[in-house]
Amino acid sequence: MAELSGAELIRSSAAELASLLADRVVSAVEVTQAHLDRIAEVDGDATAGLHAFLHLDSDGALATARDVDTARVAGKDVHPLAGVPIAVKDVVATRGMPTTCGSAILRGWVPPYDATLVTRLRAARLPILGKTNMDEFAMGSSTEHSAYGATRNPWDLARIPGGSGGGSAAAVASFEAPLAIGTDTGGSIRQPAAVTGTVGVKPTYGGVSRYGLVALASSLDQAGPCTRTVLDAALLHQLIGGHDPLDSTSLAGPAPDVVAAARAGAGGDLTGVRVGLVRELGGSGHADGYDPEVLARFTESVAHLTAAGAEIVEVECPHFEYALAAYYLILPSEASSNLARFDAMRYGLRVGDGDPAATAERVMSATRAAGFGAEVKRRIILGTYALSAGYYEAFYGSAQKVRTLVQRDFAAAFEVADVLVSPTAPTPAFRLGEKLSDPMAMYLNDVATIPANLAGVPGMSLPSGLAGGLPAGIQILAPAQADERLYRVGAALEARLLAQWGGPLLAAMRAVPSVHASPEKVTA
Amino acid sequence: MAGQLSGILAAVAKVQEVAGPDVPATSHPLPLVNVMRPDEPRPSLRADDALAAAPAREGDRFRVPRILEED
């Protein structure tokens, strides 16, 4: 086989790289170096380039790659993904590598332990390229709330890459990494996937360990894969999923066999699968706020599902229109409690310690005032308000009841449908700055992704085509612990869309401009 | 920020329209109760690791500002 160029290597899927590595056509060092070169070429920093990464670990990634190559040369058994590089969202604890959550309060913090999912990545020997940018503490839909500056969308550097996991999605879309880890509390894996033309999966709540994830809203947070293909998402999901005794909310048993489901689905046959169109999420009569081209791409995807043999039914989920309101009470409530740990005593920023009049309370207050950004403050204030005596029942209590109603809507819908589908986000990527001054407008991006978090059910976003030259996504939802269905239906749809497009959607993306400045990573 | 917060509160108050007294509250997606693990000793974080990121340290302890206000 002819030698592969770096440009070819970075455009390969993780599954293709795994096969090239297993056949020893390329070395893990070559694959890793090709991605590091790509990052040096396009990532830049807060002022120019994509700014998908906050921290790079070139030495660590290459050391892992050398280790994999040595093992393979020695004929040792290695994990199929060994040597395939990965990027990790900066909300996931990585021992010896900065973890900032996009916040100034954690600038330079280096965790003393690995998240369980990182332990699994290291055990399988995937070179970890670095940590990706995000909205501060995962609060946002654009990465503009990162204290280190926004990430830019590789399709158009003037636009948002989605959020909160815009760094992971932009890294995957721009071929800086074939795989990335995201976390999804209200859509932070799926919405960035939709607006960057990539694949993102939020597994069933409890399907991937939360141990070592810096908590935003503990009853909603879930880590999952960010990739360019459905099969790659399955390979990564299966690696990081499965029970973890260190997370009391972790589901019992191993990860579901989503790889087999993705391979089965790739044949393109969905005979007998019942697909529900959610009336309230861009369905008949509920299209307000949805971009017409996003809806057109969605309708075309549904036609592909029909052609694949699926039976299409419309389902009503009447309480989904209350889900956004419930989410923006439950999330701030849980976040205000979780973020109380940033008290300037044990780690992170401390402000005002030198003042002779300093007390713990004054230092905490000064530190939080200086260390948290505006969106984090907004949500902490909202959360403490919603939980306060006198308002608790009317706000937090009512939101918890809506959560029950949303779960009942899902239960009823899954009586008549095996999976549900909707557009992932109502619009393609908007312009940087466009929604910063209007928090409610920003929150509306999550209208279709939030119900899954409230109910704990799994969801996938995959590209459905272009809307005004920018990517749009289709979301697939399945019942809790039926993640396999996402992969079967997603792979079947992906196969038909690729045939329609004559190749991956990302082939339609213009070249990402090179930046010549050497990347200066703020947290390094 | 006060104006923004009022706007958000007005929007999220929508939950009250359907949260009737007959609807039970849900706090968590999984019906989990009392997850137990075997009560066995295992290694924990070393003091130096736990203290490595401390803003201020004194021996094997976190040094913190005065807790009580002076009267």
Side-chain angles (χ1 to χ4, degrees):
Chain A
M1 185 183 282
E3 203 168 300
L4 286 147
S5 68
E8 289 167 312
L9 283 180
I10 60 171
R11 280 167 178 78
S12 305
S13 69
E16 288 162 351
L17 290 173
S19 144
L20 292 169
L21 287 163
D23 296 343
R24 310 231 330 251
V25 176
V26 290
S27 70
V29 168
E30 287 170 312
V31 170
T32 302
Q33 190 60 54
H35 287 93
L36 291 169
D37 291 347
R38 175 65 171 174
I39 293 168
E41 182 196 345
V42 297
D43 204 59
D45 55 23
T47 59
L50 294 172
H51 197 226
F53 283 86
L54 290 178
H55 174 74
L56 288 178
D57 185 20
S58 312
D59 294 347
L62 288 168
T64 303
R66 274 192 295 274
D67 199 28
V68 171
D69 288 337
T70 307
R72 278 214 168 93
V73 168
K76 290 191 184 142
D77 270 349
V78 294
H79 189 275
L81 290 176
V84 178
I86 190 165
V88 176
K89 190 179 181 184
D90 207 28
V91 72
V92 180
T94 42
R95 186 182 167 99
M97 204 187 295
T99 299
T100 68
C101 302
S103 181
I105 213 164
L106 281 177
R107 183 186 289 269
W109 180 59
V110 179
Y113 67 100
D114 278 329
T116 294
L117 74 86
V118 172
T119 302
R120 291 182 184 178
L121 297 178
R122 292 199 204 273
R125 289 192 276 197
L126 280 74
I128 298 176
L129 298 167
K131 305 295 291 288
T132 57
N133 199 7
M134 55 185 285
D135 286 292
E136 185 175 2
F137 291 110
M139 299 186 198
S141 310
S142 69
T143 71
E144 292 169 292
H145 295 308
S146 168
Y148 304 103
T151 296
R152 300 176 189 84
N153 191 319
W155 287 80
D156 176 352
L157 297 187
R159 292 180 186 270
I160 60 108
S164 66
S168 283
V172 167
S174 64
F175 309 103
E176 291 180 325
L179 301 171
I181 295 292
T183 60
D184 189 313
T185 304
S188 289
I189 289 175
R190 290 164 287 158
Q191 180 257 6
V195 301
T196 57
T198 57
V199 177
V201 176
K202 181 199 95 70
T204 297
Y205 181 85
V208 176
S209 169
R210 286 188 302 109
Y211 180 76
L213 266 56
V214 179
L216 168 55
S218 306
S219 79
L220 304 165
D221 296 343
Q222 182 57 217
C226 307
T227 62
R228 292 191 292 266
T229 71
V230 172
L231 177 60
D232 283 2
L235 291 165
L236 182 54
H237 185 155
Q238 204 145 323
L239 170 59
I240 61 175
H243 182 68
D244 175 19
L246 297 178
D247 174 1
S248 63
T249 57
S250 169
L251 293 168
D257 194 351
V258 291
V259 173
R263 292 194 198 279
D269 181 21
L270 295 176
T271 305
V273 177
R274 299 168 305 165
V275 173
L277 306 191
V278 184
R279 192 166 184 274
E280 288 74 15
L281 299 179
S284 58
H286 288 76
D288 286 357
Y290 284 85
D291 178 281
E293 285 206 52
V294 168
L295 287 177
R297 296 297 87 74
F298 174 68
T299 305
E300 286 164 17
S301 289
V302 173
H304 278 302
L305 294 171
T306 307
E311 180 197 338
I312 309 295
V313 293
E314 186 170 84
V315 298
E316 289 190 30
C317 294
H319 300 99
F320 279 17
E321 67 168 294
Y322 299 92
L324 187 82
Y327 176 83
Y328 279 101
L329 286 164
I330 292 168
L331 179 137
S333 298
E334 294 191 22
S336 68
S337 166
N338 274 324
L339 269 59
R341 63 170 57 89
F342 299 101
D343 57 9
M345 298 299 135
R346 295 153 298 159
Y347 48 79
L349 185 70
R350 181 183 284 185
V351 171
D353 205 6
D355 185 339
T359 63
E361 192 180 337
R362 280 179 206 165
V363 166
M364 272 181 213
S365 176
T367 301
R368 290 164 68 87
F372 287 144
E375 182 62 19
V376 173
K377 287 174 183 166
R378 263 194 289 274
R379 296 203 197 179
I380 289 174
I381 293 168
L382 278 171
T384 44
Y385 181 84
L387 292 175
S388 59
Y391 298 99
Y392 182 97
E393 279 308 322
F395 286 102
Y396 184 64
S398 297
Q400 287 190 308
K401 291 182 174 186
V402 170
R403 195 166 187 177
T404 306
L405 297 170
V406 168
Q407 290 185 348
R408 287 179 182 168
D409 281 359
F410 269 119
F414 286 129
E415 290 282 316
V416 297
D418 300 307
V419 294
L420 306 179
V421 292
S422 78
T424 309
T427 67
F430 48 90
R431 289 184 180 283
L432 288 159
E434 194 178 318
K435 298 190 178 178
L436 264 183
S437 59
D438 185 352
M440 270 319 293
M442 185 77 89
Y443 297 170
L444 284 168
N445 280 291
D446 305 329
V447 68
T449 46
I450 275 171
N453 300 81
L454 290 176
V457 305
M460 168 187 286
S461 178
L462 71 155
S464 62
L466 295 178
L470 294 165
I474 175 171
Q475 172 178 239
I476 307 169
L477 302 168
Q481 297 188 256
D483 302 46
E484 302 95 311
R485 293 184 196 175
L486 304 178
Y487 288 92
R488 179 176 172 206
V489 174
L493 176 57
E494 179 186 55
R496 286 173 178 270
L497 285 168
L498 287 179
Q500 178 195 326
W501 300 330
L505 190 68
L506 284 166
M509 188 170 77
R510 285 193 307 267
V512 183
S514 298
V515 283
H516 296 291
S518 69
E520 184 106 349
K521 296 303 168 191
V522 286
T523 63
Chain B
M1 196 179 280
Q4 289 174 341
L5 293 174
S6 301
I8 296 167
L9 272 180
V12 297
K14 186 180 167 78
V15 292
Q16 293 156 12
E17 292 171 20
V18 286
D22 52 328
V23 182
T26 297
S27 62
H28 206 269
L30 300 177
L32 286 173
V33 265
N34 291 349
V35 176
M36 307 293 272
R37 63 171 166 79
D39 184 17
E40 289 161 359
R42 41 182 193 150
S44 59
L45 216 52
R46 294 182 314 123
D48 271 343
D49 286 341
L51 286 157
R57 171 179 181 173
E58 209 172 287
D60 270 353
R61 295 181 292 273
F62 295 96
R63 194 187 63 73
V64 303
R66 208 155 27 85
I67 303 283
L68 300 172
E69 299 276 349
E70 270 180 283
D71 289 321

